[in-house]
Amino acid sequence: MKSLQIAASGMAAQQTRVDVISNNIANMSTAAYRPRTAEFSDLMYQQYLTPGTITSQVGTVVPAGIQIGTGVRPSTVSMEITQGALRQTEAELDLAIDGAGFLELTLPSGEPAYTRDGKLNRSATGEVVTMDGYPLADGIVIPEDARRISISRDGEVVAYFADEAIGQPIGTISLVRFVNEKGLEALGDNMFRETEASGPANRLVPGTEGVGYIRQGFLEDSGVDVVKEIADLIEAQRGYELNSKVITASDEMMAATTRMR
Amino acid sequence: MSNAIYASLSRQQGLMKEMQVVANNLANSSTTGYKTDRAIFAEFLVGTGPSQDSLSMGGLAGHSFKFEQGDMNFTGGQFDLAVQGEGFFVLQTEQGPRLTRAGYFQLSPESTLVDPFGNAVLGAGGNPITIPAEASQVSIGSDGSISANGQLVDRVGVVTPQGELQRDSNTMFSAPQGYAPFEEATVVQGALEQSNVMPVLEVARMIEVQRAYEAGQAMLEREDQRINQLISAVRER
């Protein structure tokens, strides 16, 4: 009985959807988190009678035939490209990206990783690092005696020293853009890795060629819309129940068959 | 076996298949661009000679799609497209062009518009659509024209099939008799067309199928009893 497996695939699909939604809700306060959506597509169709089969000598054909579907599967779970709201924090090393683009980090392995979470800190050596201690690939080191740091919209970092009115540039922060951001691989800890699908990383000056600007003293909030997630959750739950009803009905049909004799 | 058993078995087999159709519809109630399937039953006659008794059986003869518009789900995604009213997007697959209503598109690393499986979306001219990589704002008009940073780039092709469509997996359809451009199509950016499965109707149909199946089963049992009684009656004489 095929309908059992078909309904099971439907339940599995709705389960995937609930998993994705629960992860979105769990990350409703994660800085710069982008909500994910699960998309589904139907499985192959079993051909019982191919449309276009000739049915008579005068050339009449079967118009629609008999094709019976075999269920559903998740086709993609990818992030929505949304801009989270910018929240003012006034902290010197809190950066938000207003528009497209990512900050580039260097992982301990030496590999690059990308993030939109601009909650940065100063390490013991003065290096600008993320909350997990990974340095920015731009290699910004803040001198120990710097009184104040100013970061311009296009990424220029200027340090002000105690007795000087004019600051000294100490580096620039660039932004990285990908042709297909949905193709990035999520590493957890708000980081992403480049893949075949995302295309190569393209390092740009903030505000040029379609990348956004850097906003000092702001953080990007999570892009999760909780109301939408809850509505989706209800839909997924009902979808799950509907598919379980199919299983019950198919089971009862099978029971009717076995009761015979 | 008696003809009554044959006739009722043909119905039971058809109902099993219809249950699969209903199950597939319900399983795809969240699939973007999915179109509801319907099973069509037809009678076929066995033994239609002049001196024979004819027997009528019911069998699954075909199926039809319900092409009604699904609800629009506004996602705001830049490359989430939906067709309002008639028309299909065209995808270039390894098996040839395929039509789809599921406009969940994104960019490939080469900056061409593709579906989640990497199949290129074809433009009005029948070629893959390339979006300039540096474009920060891509807007797609209701006639499908794509502009990036204010410059017209291409147009999303929307077509109507000629002749019947055949279902393929991944919410794609193939049009064995080809397709023609459909100029009056309305494309909506930032929306996805949801599955047009109506759960209420499917559940009602499911109950109907289940009950009909049980009725058929009861009919088979009765027929079995009748034959049994006949045999014992003959034996007793």
Side-chain angles (χ1 to χ4, degrees):
Chain A
M1 192 122 179
K2 259 282 162 52
S3 47
L4 278 175
Q5 277 116 49
I6 296 172
S9 79
M11 287 172 86
Q14 298 296 351
Q15 178 67 59
T16 308
R17 205 166 154 206
V18 172
D19 291 349
V20 171
I21 294 167
S22 59
N23 190 52
N24 284 343
I25 294 176
N27 282 294
M28 61 179 275
S29 303
T30 305
Y33 177 81
R34 282 174 166 181
R36 309 299 201 272
T37 24
E39 282 291 321
F40 302 101
S41 65
D42 48 2
L43 293 176
M44 55 163 290
Y45 284 77
Q46 213 173 329
Q47 305 270 358
Y48 287 93
L49 179 61
T50 313
T53 306
I54 294 167
T55 53
S56 73
Q57 283 184 336
V58 291
T60 50
V61 294
V62 173
I66 307 172
Q67 293 177 286
I68 295 183
T70 51
V72 64
R73 68 169 170 141
S75 58
T76 168
V77 177
S78 61
M79 60 178 171
E80 293 167 25
I81 308 299
T82 53
Q83 168 82 52
L86 299 188
R87 179 162 43 92
Q88 193 164 14
T89 61
E90 309 238 313
E92 197 172 62
L93 285 175
D94 280 354
L95 304 182
I97 300 164
D98 192 1
F102 293 84
L103 294 168
E104 186 175 345
L105 311 172
T106 308
L107 296 179
S109 61
E111 276 180 73
Y114 306 93
T115 187
R116 279 181 70 87
D117 177 9
K119 181 100 188 118
L120 302 175
N121 278 296
R122 208 184 289 203
S123 75
T125 54
E127 235 183 338
V128 176
V129 296
T130 64
M131 295 298 276
D132 295 307
Y134 304 140
L136 280 187
D138 300 292
I140 310 280
V141 179
I142 300 172
E144 218 177 305
D145 51 348
R147 179 169 51 91
R148 193 167 64 83
I149 296 294
S150 145
I151 298 164
S152 71
R153 279 156 58 90
D154 53 2
E156 202 167 337
V157 188
V158 177
Y160 290 88
F161 295 96
D163 48 349
E164 290 168 33
I166 298 165
Q168 285 175 16
I170 55 168
T172 49
I173 296 174
S174 52
L175 290 180
V176 170
R177 192 166 184 227
F178 296 90
V179 169
N180 179 26
E181 290 182 14
K182 289 186 179 186
L184 289 171
E185 180 192 345
L187 295 176
D189 297 328
N190 293 346
M191 293 187 296
F192 296 94
R193 182 158 52 199
E194 173 189 325
T195 66
E196 284 278 303
S198 68
N202 193 6
R203 286 180 85 168
L204 297 162
V205 175
T208 61
E209 291 186 52
V211 291
Y213 287 104
I214 288 179
R215 304 291 295 266
Q216 187 184 18
F218 285 87
L219 282 179
E220 184 181 348
D221 276 343
S222 170
V224 175
D225 177 354
V226 182
V227 180
K228 183 184 156 279
E229 297 300 332
I230 298 289
D232 279 357
L233 182 65
I234 294 169
E235 228 179 78
Q237 188 190 351
R238 296 297 169 221
Y240 192 84
E241 286 173 9
L242 281 171
N243 281 294
S244 78
K245 286 275 183 286
V246 177
I247 292 200
T248 317
S250 307
D251 180 35
E252 279 169 21
M253 276 168 77
M254 269 188 356
T257 315
T258 45
R259 269 202 306 276
M260 210 179 128
R261 287 274 68 199
Chain B
M1 264 205 288
S2 84
N3 282 343
I5 290 181
Y6 282 128
S8 141
L9 270 182
S10 73
R11 174 74 176 137
Q12 298 297 81
Q13 283 177 342
L15 285 169
M16 278 283 195
K17 291 211 178 80
E18 185 163 11
M19 193 66 176
Q20 282 184 38
V21 173
V22 172
N24 192 52
N25 284 338
L26 277 174
N28 283 292
S29 59
S30 304
T31 304
T32 299
Y34 180 81
K35 295 293 166 199
T36 309
D37 231 345
R38 279 274 155 267
I40 298 169
F41 287 88
E43 174 189 44
F44 58 92
L45 294 174
V46 183
T48 44
S51 58
Q52 284 174 302
D53 289 335
S54 69
L55 172 64
S56 154
M57 303 222 213
L60 190 61
H63 70 147
S64 67
F65 315 120
K66 226 176 73 184
F67 275 117
E68 270 168 40
Q69 177 91 39
D71 289 338
M72 286 287 177
N73 179 19
F74 289 91
T75 57
Q78 199 169 42
F79 298 117
D80 287 352
L81 303 181
V83 181
Q84 176 97 51
E86 223 181 308
F88 291 84
F89 297 116
V90 192
L91 300 171
Q92 190 176 49
T93 71
E94 272 175 33
Q95 292 82 35
R98 291 285 182 272
L99 310 188
T100 189
R101 296 272 298 185
Y104 192 72
F105 300 142
Q106 57 194 64
L107 289 182
S108 72
E110 290 79 39
S111 206
T112 53
L113 198 62
V114 293
D115 80 343
F117 304 97
N119 300 313
V121 181
L122 297 184
N127 296 313
I129 299 165
T130 308
I131 310 271
E134 70 281 1
S136 58
Q137 193 57 50
V138 175
S139 67
I140 296 165
S142 61
D143 63 341
S145 56
I146 308 166
S147 48
N149 288 348
Q151 296 279 310
L152 187 67
V153 176
D154 205 337
R155 249 181 85 199
V156 181
V158 179
V159 300
T160 47
Q162 288 168 334
E164 292 294 333
L165 285 172
Q166 207 171 322
R167 247 187 215 282
D168 217 327
S169 55
N170 302 334
T171 45
M172 293 189 288
F173 296 90
S174 60
Q177 286 151 59
Y179 51 82
F182 182 59
E183 298 297 334
E184 295 83 52
T186 310
V187 177
V188 185
Q189 186 184 18
L192 290 174
E193 184 181 350
Q194 289 181 309
S195 168
N196 74 348
V197 173
M198 291 210 199
V200 185
L201 293 182
E202 296 306 316
V203 170
R205 189 71 201 131
M206 181 180 84
I207 295 169
E208 219 176 311
V209 169
Q210 190 192 342
R211 296 300 167 224
Y213 189 85
E214 284 169 5
Q217 226 54 35
M219 154 82 206
L220 287 173
E221 275 167 51
R222 297 276 161 71
E223 184 60 12
D224 183 45
Q225 280 172 14
R226 192 185 65 80
I227 296 169
N228 258 339
Q229 279 167 5
L230 184 76
I231 293 167
S232 48
V234 170
R235 205 187 285 145
E236 276 162 24
R237 285 185 75 185

